[in-house]
Amino acid sequence: MSEDKRTILSVSQLTGEIKRVLENSFPRLWVQGEVSNLTVHSSGHLYFSLKDAGSQVRCVMFRSYAKNMMLMPQDGMQVVVQGDVTVFDRAGQYQLSVMQLQVAGYGELAQAFERLKKKLADEGLFDQEFKKELPAYPKTIGIVTSPTGAAIRDMVKVARRRWPGIELILCPVPVQGIGAAEKIARAVDDLNEYKKVDLIIVGRGGGSAEDLWAFNEEILVRAIFRSEIPVISAVGHEVDFTISDLVADLRAPTPSAAAELAVPDIRETKSTLSDLAQRIVSSINDMLDEAGARLKSIQRSYGLNRLQDMLSQKSQQLDWAGTSLNNKINDRIRSYANRLQGQAIALKALDPQNTLRRGYSICRSPDGRVIVSSKALDKGKLITAEFHTGKAQMTVEETIP
Amino acid sequence: MKKAKMEADFKFEKALARIEQIVDQMESGEIELDKALALYQEGMELMARCQATLEETQNKIKKITRDIQGRLKVEEHDLEEN
C-alpha cells in the first residue's frame, strides 16, 4: 500500500524540520532595511519588520540585546541589523533574531537631528531670552551623569580643586542606550523637585554619535528647557554638538570644562576678598586720620586758643583773688588774737592770788563760803583764813559791825 | 535656631556684593564718620562670614535617587577612585 509508505508529519514536526534546516543553513548575517510596525512590548522585547521595495521580514530583538542599543529605532528609519534566522514555532514563522541594530549611515542620524533641531528652534526653545544666568558662587551643584566613568571623576576633581567647600549632588543615570534619555530627563526634573541645588550639569564623556544620542532626544531637551535651575550641558568632546547643548543655559565643551565654568576659583575669590578688606581698612583709616587731623587743627586754631587764653586769665585771676581773700582772713584772725591777748592780761590782773600776794586774805565759813561782812559771824564761830601762802583756822572772839 | 537659619540664608554672592557696595560707599568720601564706622563694622562681619565659607571643605559627595515609593532620597556617595 503506497498509502502506507506515506510519511505523515505533524505540524510541529514539519516546523521543527524547517527550523533545523533554516537555522543551520544561515550563518549569522547582516541585513539592511527600513523599520516598520515597531512595537516595544512591556517585556522590553522589540518587534518590528524590516522591509524594502520588494519584501519584508519579521524581526524580534530581545530585551537583553535591546538594552544595549544606542538609540531607539523609529518607523521609517533605515537600519542595519545583525542577527540569526530563526523560526518561531508557535506561529510557524521565520524571523530575524536581532542582536545588534545600527542606524544605516550617519545620514539617518543627521536627519533625525536636523528634524528635531528645526522643530524645537521653531518653538523657540533655543531663544536667548530663555537663557538663565548662572550663579557666580553656587553652593551646591547637581550633576546628572553616569556614576562610573571618567566624566564624574573629572568633574569632582576640578570642582574640588577650584572650591573645596563645593557641595556636589550626583544623580546617577545611564548616559547611553535605550531609555537613557528618559532617565536623564527624569533626573533633571528630580533636581528641580529637590530644589536645593544652585546649578545643574548634565553630561557625559566622549563617544560615537550613537553613544551621545540620548542628548539629542526630545524628552531630555524639553526637561532641560523646563528646568528652573540653570543647566550647563557637557556632552562628549569639544567637537560634539547635541541638541541639549543648544537648549542648555550654557554649553561646556567637556565635563571638566563644565566644572571649570560652574565653580569659581577660590584663589581668585580669596584675593578679591583680601583686596576688599584692604580697601575697607584703608578707607576707614584714612577717614580716622583725617578726623584726627581736623581735631588737631581745631586745637591749634585762634578761636580755641583764645578760649584757652581766656581760661588761663580767669584762672590766674582766681588764684590772685584767692590769695587776697586768705590774707584778709589771716589779718582778721590776727586782730582777734591780739584782742584776746589783751583781755587775758586784764583778766590776769583780777586773779585773787595776786591780791593775796599783796597782803590781803580771804575768810571762809566752814562750808567754804567767802565771808564779806562781820555780821555773818558770831562769837566762837570757826573760820578759815586763806593767805598768799597757807591757811589758818580761827575762832571769832568778838564781832564789830 | 535663629542663628542656624541665618547661616542657611547666608549667600556668599550677596555678601560679596554688599561688601563691594560698602567699599565703594566708603571710598566715595561722602559719608559721615559715624556712618562709615557702622559700615566698616558691617563689612568686617560679612568678610568674616565669607572667610568662614572659604575655609569649608567637603569630603563626600551626595547622591540623589528615588526609593521604591518614588520619593527622593539623598545619601552620601563614595566615588570609587580607579
Side-chain angles (χ1 to χ4, degrees):
Chain A
M1 293 209 336
S2 64
E3 281 166 351
D4 291 336
K5 286 180 184 166
R6 289 182 299 183
T7 307
I8 300 172
L9 301 173
S10 66
V11 174
S12 295
Q13 281 173 319
L14 174 62
T15 304
E17 193 59 22
I18 291 170
K19 184 181 175 78
R20 194 181 60 78
V21 172
L22 274 183
E23 293 186 0
N24 287 332
S25 53
F26 285 94
R28 185 159 296 176
L29 39 79
W30 289 94
V31 180
Q32 176 166 349
E34 185 191 314
V35 176
S36 68
N37 298 319
L38 176 83
T39 55
V40 183
H41 195 266
S42 59
S43 62
H45 307 326
L46 257 55
Y47 298 96
F48 57 95
S49 295
L50 273 187
K51 64 176 186 181
D52 61 16
S55 185
Q56 56 179 296
V57 59
R58 293 288 306 160
C59 296
V60 59
M61 189 172 192
F62 293 111
R63 195 172 69 94
S64 54
Y65 296 113
K67 72 177 164 58
N68 294 327
M69 223 168 19
M70 293 315 165
L71 70 131
M72 180 63 84
Q74 288 167 11
D75 283 349
M77 196 179 259
Q78 281 287 326
V79 295
V80 176
V81 300
Q82 185 193 37
D84 298 323
V85 175
T86 59
V87 171
F88 180 43
D89 305 32
R90 282 183 166 275
Q93 283 178 348
Y94 78 92
Q95 60 184 13
L96 272 174
S97 282
V98 176
M99 273 156 282
Q100 273 196 65
L101 182 148
Q102 293 173 1
V103 171
Y106 188 67
E108 276 293 331
L109 280 181
Q111 271 180 34
F113 181 95
E114 290 304 329
R115 265 199 309 274
L116 184 62
K117 185 175 144 185
K118 183 172 187 313
K119 175 179 153 189
L120 299 179
D122 289 348
E123 281 185 42
L125 260 65
F126 311 142
D127 288 359
Q128 205 55 41
E129 61 175 302
F130 296 122
K131 303 291 182 201
K132 287 177 279 296
E133 201 180 328
L134 303 185
Y137 295 94
K139 193 172 181 298
T140 307
I141 297 178
I143 300 179
V144 181
T145 193
S146 163
T148 57
I152 181 66
R153 285 202 304 277
D154 290 351
M155 285 191 270
V156 170
K157 199 169 77 188
V158 171
R160 287 277 161 76
R161 188 192 69 218
R162 291 177 67 83
W163 193 284
I166 196 89
E167 196 179 353
L168 303 173
I169 298 189
L170 171 67
C171 279
V173 289
V175 290
Q176 64 189 55
I178 295 293
E182 284 88 341
K183 290 190 177 105
I184 301 168
R186 180 72 188 270
V188 173
D189 289 340
D190 284 351
L191 283 173
N192 273 274
E193 186 184 325
Y194 179 63
K195 285 195 173 70
K196 286 177 273 184
V197 297
D198 304 311
L199 181 64
I200 297 174
I201 299 174
V202 177
R204 55 156 292 153
S208 69
E210 286 93 340
D211 287 343
L212 309 184
W213 192 253
F215 294 87
N216 289 322
E217 289 194 42
E218 187 168 354
I219 189 167
L220 173 54
V221 175
R222 291 204 184 271
I224 293 173
F225 180 74
R226 74 173 159 265
S227 173
E228 288 178 5
I229 301 164
V231 176
I232 298 180
S233 69
V235 185
H237 298 304
E238 203 140 0
V239 292
D240 299 317
F241 252 98
T242 64
I243 298 179
S244 291
D245 290 329
L246 297 171
V247 78
D249 298 299
L250 183 70
R251 173 199 181 248
T254 62
S256 301
E260 300 259 352
L261 291 165
V263 182
D265 185 349
I266 199 162
R267 284 167 306 176
E268 278 173 26
T269 312
K270 277 181 176 167
S271 91
T272 304
L273 209 58
S274 81
D275 176 54
L276 287 170
Q278 251 165 24
R279 283 168 65 192
I280 201 169
V281 167
S282 75
S283 67
I284 196 76
N285 281 344
D286 287 353
M287 289 176 90
L288 288 172
D289 284 352
E290 197 191 323
R294 272 174 66 194
L295 207 59
K296 269 205 187 106
S297 94
I298 288 167
Q299 279 169 351
R300 277 195 303 266
S301 73
Y302 173 74
L304 198 71
N305 285 337
R306 195 171 141 62
L307 187 66
Q308 189 65 46
D309 184 50
M310 277 163 71
L311 281 175
S312 54
Q313 292 274 347
K314 289 288 176 201
S315 156
Q316 213 174 332
Q317 271 182 30
L318 206 60
D319 280 352
W320 184 82
T323 310
S324 120
L325 192 65
N326 264 349
N327 289 343
K328 278 188 182 142
I329 288 167
N330 284 341
D331 286 353
R332 185 74 57 86
I333 289 168
R334 251 195 304 280
S335 99
Y336 278 132
N338 288 341
R339 275 169 62 189
L340 271 175
Q341 208 169 5
Q343 277 170 353
I345 289 164
L347 277 173
K348 208 165 186 182
L350 294 172
D351 187 344
Q353 282 294 324
N354 287 335
T355 312
L356 293 180
R357 190 177 289 149
R358 280 186 275 136
Y360 294 92
S361 59
I362 300 166
C363 288
R364 296 179 194 270
S365 60
D367 58 6
R369 277 187 299 181
V370 173
I371 299 162
V372 292
S373 166
S374 61
K375 281 180 188 156
L377 297 173
D378 296 315
K379 186 176 174 217
K381 184 160 180 150
L382 204 64
I383 58 168
T384 305
E386 206 178 315
F387 308 102
H388 178 238
T389 53
K391 293 175 185 178
Q393 298 279 8
M394 287 177 270
T395 311
V396 177
E397 290 288 325
E398 190 184 0
T399 59
I400 300 144
Chain B
M1 174 69 192
K2 198 181 172 192
K3 198 183 174 201
K5 191 178 182 316
M6 271 173 57
E7 293 299 326
D9 285 349
F10 178 74
K11 287 266 188 286
F12 190 88
E13 203 162 349
K14 274 192 187 164
L16 198 61
R18 176 67 185 141
I19 293 170
E20 280 167 346
Q21 197 183 20
I22 286 171
V23 171
D24 284 347
Q25 244 179 305
M26 288 181 66
E27 287 180 344
S28 76
E30 284 163 5
I31 45 169
E32 309 259 316
L33 186 59
D34 51 355
K35 170 87 173 145
L37 285 167
L39 285 174
Y40 172 77
Q41 189 171 357
E42 187 192 345
M44 281 302 164
E45 278 164 12
L46 287 171
M47 202 85 78
R49 300 189 62 183
C50 286
Q51 201 62 45
T53 303
L54 291 177
E55 277 154 22
E56 283 172 13
T57 53
Q58 301 277 341
N59 295 315
K60 292 274 178 188
I61 78 170
K62 286 179 183 163
K63 180 171 73 176
I64 189 164
T65 48
R66 285 195 182 263
D67 63 16
I68 302 162
Q69 281 87 37
R71 288 177 303 219
L72 290 176
K73 183 176 68 170
V74 179
E75 59 199 329
E76 287 193 345
H77 177 73
D78 281 321
L79 201 64
E80 79 280 24
E81 299 289 339
N82 49 11

